[in-house]
Amino acid sequence: MACSRRAFLSGTVAAAATLTACGRSPSSPSTARFDLTAAIERTEAQRPHSGRAVSTTLTAQRSPVDLGGVNVRTLVYGDSVPGPLIRADVGDDIAVTVHNRLDHPTSVHWHGITLRNDMDGAAPATPDISAGQSFTYQFSAPRPGTYWAHPHTGLDADYGLYLPVIIDDPREPGDYDAEWIVVLDDWTDGVGPDPQQILDGLRSRGMGHMPSMGGMGSRLLGGDAGDVRYPAYLINGRVPAAPTSFSAKPGQRIRIRLVNAASDTAFRVALAGHTMTVTHTDGYPVVPADVDAVLIGMGERYDVVVTAGDGVFALVAAAEGKDALARALLTTGAGSPPDPAFTPTELTGRVGTVSMFTAAPEANLWSGHSDVNLQARLSGGMMRYDWAINGQPYENHQPLGIRQGETATLTFANATMMWHPMHLHGHTFQVIRADGSPGARKDTVIVQPRQNVGVALIADNPGIWMLHCHNTYHQAAGMMTSLDYTG
Ligand SMILES: [Cu+2]
């Protein structure tokens, strides 16, 4: 396996080096001879290593799942939605053996973790796992935070193949008494059309049995909220009529780790009767900010802290612009749960959106200087369903190039009438606000229609890294390119 992987990577590097030789400095031997495999090993040696091993197994398979009285047979890790939590400390040697019992190739991508490129779980850096085969992802995670894992193959991400990943820093225990992991999803498989039928319908508007799409507008998302109206929305794998319940004591400080694992749905999340203090965006600390609700796009994570009241409270994730919701309950005392359709007033209070948050000083990376300016122009539309980056679908993509050690600004220029949650693998970036000031550290950022969003990043993790829209259907239609290290 190690042997074939090395050969595979060498092939990729050769392609990247050729591109560079044509584009930049044809005579530079250092560029032409860039050894990506060696660069990945050098970078891995610089990551923290605790010497402790954390090993687990995931089996991707079709299995019956109870979503709370709604029974489906779907694709899951093991037999639950979400899959089992993976938790480790910074620097632990994480080894996850994945058995692929699906009828097609799959992968596991470690979303947000700045790990070694050949364990990223996205082709071509990591080859997909063939049906019936197994593969062990082995890596150390250099930063604490709230992450998650999901396949990077076809429409696999719109089934139940996802799980939370938490990386702890034992030196930073955190100022909270309890922790609640909340994973949001939009659900169709086994209830409505399956994901392939949805994509086929989107590609041939009016010809298929497409879910209704009228009137899904959102002020917070700058227009159309999504492409698909889902039959169900889930928190931790349950429909609103049969919610999970989290128990705590009144007065306890609860850290809520919100993960949006949905395919086409942003959620506006609020806890009835509580103010939320946002502490982290995509795993990185922010200057704490109080909000009544927070907007979370696909792939994003927000950590918030609440001080628990006394009673039974609904945590509601309203499907933004789709007039539907998911929910869970917080139980700290006597009381009965509100009606499944109940919407807390906090949803229409102060709603936290990305531009409101600023990285904590230790998470700052934008100095105002960049060596390279990269651009990802987002194009396409609903009628032709031809989502693309820099004018090309992924199959024809021209990689963005970067050299190790460079500081770059990357501008997402959205020429479309839709919003897109843009995600970069292997790196986190800092949002640069419209006025030039440094914003939140993120790996996924909402880009509104006709909006330009600039982010700063440091090229410190050599590899071939996917850059794409985290709307599963936009990505499948081709809204993906790559950031390739060329030296
Ligand atoms: Cu998109």
Side-chain angles (χ1 to χ4, degrees), residues 298 387 418-422 469-471 474-475 479:
M298 295 84 81
W387 307 108
M418 289 288 301
W419 70 283
H420 305 281
M422 298 304 299
C469 175
H470 221 285
N471 180 307
H474 294 186
Q475 180 182 354
M479 201 166 209

Side-chain angles (χ1 to χ4, degrees), residues 13 39 63 127 131 155 162 205 259 293 333-334 368 387 407 444 448 476:
V13 176
S63 171
L155 299 172
Y162 57 85
R205 283 197 80 162
V259 178
W387 307 108
T407 298
T444 310
Q448 292 192 11

Side-chain angles (χ1 to χ4, degrees), residues 263-354:
S263 279
D264 179 69
T265 305
F267 289 96
R268 195 192 297 206
V269 184
L271 178 61
H274 293 74
T275 294
M276 305 191 294
T277 304
V278 175
T279 61
H280 296 75
T281 55
D282 295 354
Y284 275 79
V286 293
V287 176
D290 287 352
V291 297
D292 298 309
V294 67
L295 179 73
I296 177 168
M298 295 84 81
E300 290 191 295
R301 289 90 63 217
Y302 279 90
D303 290 18
V304 304
V305 173
V306 299
T307 303
D310 188 350
V312 178
F313 306 95
L315 177 79
V316 173
E320 184 66 19
K322 297 185 178 183
D323 196 24
L325 57 80
R327 74 163 185 165
L329 300 174
L330 168 63
T331 305
T332 64
S336 47
D339 185 84
F342 166 74
T343 54
T345 56
E346 283 80 3
L347 285 170
T348 52
R350 295 164 297 173
V351 183
T353 56
V354 63

Side-chain angles (χ1 to χ4, degrees), residues 113-124:
I113 299 177
T114 53
L115 47 45
R116 53 183 304 155
N117 184 233
D118 52 2
M119 292 292 152
D120 187 47

Side-chain angles (χ1 to χ4, degrees), residues 471-487:
N471 180 307
T472 302
Y473 297 91
H474 294 186
Q475 180 182 354
M479 201 166 209
M480 178 158 73
T481 185
S482 64
L483 177 68
D484 292 9
Y485 280 59
T486 57

